[in-house]
Amino acid sequence: MEALRINVYLSSQLDDVTVVRRVIGGEKELFEILLRRHNQTLYRVLRSYLKDEDDIRDAMQNTYLKSFNKLFQFQGNASFSTWLIRIGMNEALLRLKIIKREQANFLGSDDERLNLIPDKQMNAETKIIRREAEQMLEQAIDNLPEMYRVVYMLKEIEGMSNSEVCESLSLTDSNVKVRLHRAKAMLKDSLYTLSISSDVFEFGKGKCDDIVNAVMKAI
C-alpha cells in the first residue's frame, strides 16, 4: 500500500484529463490524485447547500463514487472540476429533498454547527480572534439565500473565475455578476473585508484523508 501511495504522489503532476484516461485504462489507484486535487472545491460547493458535516461527508463520498463509475462519460470538453461540481450539486439537491422531507415530520431543527478550522502556527490569543472572525463570516455566508451563497462561495472563497462559475452552475456571465453583487451587498462591510481569507470552510488534511481513504476502499 505504501508503494502504491508513493506512486500516486509521484504522478501528481499529471493533468486531470491524463489521470482520467489512465484510471479508465485500469490504473484506478490514480483516482486518488483527483480526490486530493478537488476535495477542497467539492467540499465548498456542497457546503453551500448542506450544513450538517455528516451529510456533506456522505455527499462527497457519493459524488466521487458516482464520478468514478461515470468517468467514461467525461469527454474533456469542460474541466474535470466543473464536471465533478455538477455531479456534486445533483447529489446535494437530492440530499436536500430527503432532509426537507424528513424535517416535515418534525417540529424545529437542530442548531447548525460550524466547521472547525485546522490549527495554524499562531499564538493562543491570535487563534481565538481569528476563529471568532471566521465563525462570524461563515455564519453570515450561511445566512445568504442559496442562489447567492453558492456563487459567492465559488467565486470569493474558492477563487474560481467567472467563466468557471458560469460553466459549473449553468449561468450566464451577467447572472453570476448580479448574484455575486447581491451576495456582497447582503454581507456587512466589516464581514466582507474578512472574506478575502481562503481559510473559511477549509477542508483540512484530516478530513481530506478520511474521504480519500473511504472512497479508495469503495472503488
Side-chain angles (χ1 to χ4, degrees), residues 56-122:
I56 297 172
R57 194 177 297 271
D58 289 345
M60 288 186 72
Q61 186 168 333
N62 288 343
T63 297
Y64 280 127
L65 292 177
K66 287 180 180 179
S67 67
F68 178 79
N69 291 327
K70 295 179 179 180
L71 273 185
F72 65 94
Q73 296 179 5
F74 176 66
Q75 301 299 316
N77 299 324
S79 66
F80 182 80
S81 62
T82 56
W83 184 78
L84 182 68
I85 285 173
R86 288 172 182 169
I87 297 176
M89 287 173 59
N90 288 333
E91 180 66 26
L93 293 174
L94 177 62
R95 191 165 293 268
L96 273 179
K97 289 182 181 179
I98 296 174
I99 292 172
K100 290 177 180 178
R101 190 181 307 129
E102 292 175 345
Q103 288 179 340
N105 298 322
F106 297 92
L107 293 175
S109 60
D110 295 332
D111 290 335
E112 295 176 358
R113 294 184 178 276
L114 294 170
N115 302 319
L116 296 178
I117 302 299
D119 261 350
K120 307 290 182 182
Q121 297 300 315
M122 295 184 278

Side-chain angles (χ1 to χ4, degrees), residues 122-133:
M122 295 184 278
N123 61 52
E125 183 179 358
T126 304
K127 286 182 181 179
I128 292 173
I129 294 173
R130 176 69 173 274
R131 183 55 196 154
E132 286 178 348

Side-chain angles (χ1 to χ4, degrees), residues 6-25:
I6 292 174
N7 182 53
V8 169
Y9 285 118
L10 288 176
S11 304
S12 62
Q13 297 303 310
L14 298 173
D15 61 63
D16 287 348
V17 174
T18 301
V19 174
V20 169
R21 185 172 64 247
R22 290 179 60 172
V23 171
I24 293 175

Side-chain angles (χ1 to χ4, degrees), residues 40-219:
Q40 180 71 81
T41 299
L42 181 61
Y43 174 78
R44 283 173 169 162
V45 169
L46 295 178
R47 185 64 177 75
S48 298
Y49 294 93
L50 305 169
K51 300 299 183 296
D52 183 80
E53 281 293 315
D54 289 336
D55 286 333
I56 297 172
R57 194 177 297 271
D58 289 345
M60 288 186 72
Q61 186 168 333
N62 288 343
T63 297
Y64 280 127
L65 292 177
K66 287 180 180 179
S67 67
F68 178 79
N69 291 327
K70 295 179 179 180
L71 273 185
F72 65 94
Q73 296 179 5
F74 176 66
Q75 301 299 316
N77 299 324
S79 66
F80 182 80
S81 62
T82 56
W83 184 78
L84 182 68
I85 285 173
R86 288 172 182 169
I87 297 176
M89 287 173 59
N90 288 333
E91 180 66 26
L93 293 174
L94 177 62
R95 191 165 293 268
L96 273 179
K97 289 182 181 179
I98 296 174
I99 292 172
K100 290 177 180 178
R101 190 181 307 129
E102 292 175 345
Q103 288 179 340
N105 298 322
F106 297 92
L107 293 175
S109 60
D110 295 332
D111 290 335
E112 295 176 358
R113 294 184 178 276
L114 294 170
N115 302 319
L116 296 178
I117 302 299
D119 261 350
K120 307 290 182 182
Q121 297 300 315
M122 295 184 278
N123 61 52
E125 183 179 358
T126 304
K127 286 182 181 179
I128 292 173
I129 294 173
R130 176 69 173 274
R131 183 55 196 154
E132 286 178 348
E134 287 170 359
Q135 284 180 331
M136 289 175 64
L137 176 58
E138 288 177 358
Q139 192 159 21
I141 295 173
D142 276 344
N143 289 334
L144 290 173
E146 180 183 293
M147 62 185 295
Y148 303 124
R149 186 170 61 242
V150 65
V151 171
Y152 183 88
M153 190 80 80
L154 290 178
K155 186 70 174 67
E156 296 298 308
I157 306 301
E158 186 57 27
M160 293 176 68
S161 66
N162 272 29
S163 61
E164 289 174 323
V165 177
C166 291
E167 193 171 7
S168 297
L169 304 181
S170 298
L171 296 173
T172 64
D173 184 66
S174 60
N175 279 339
V176 168
K177 290 178 179 177
V178 168
R179 293 188 187 189
L180 181 61
H181 175 76
R182 290 179 181 173
K184 290 179 179 179
M186 291 177 188
L187 297 174
K188 294 181 180 179
D189 290 340
S190 58
L191 290 179
Y192 178 61
T193 302
L194 295 170
S195 67
I196 300 173
S197 172
S198 62
D199 289 336
V200 293
F201 301 123
E202 187 173 16
F203 197 63
K205 187 178 186 304
K207 293 179 181 179
C208 182
D209 288 340
D210 289 343
I211 287 293
V212 168
N213 292 334
V215 173
M216 294 305 293
K217 286 179 181 177
I219 65 175

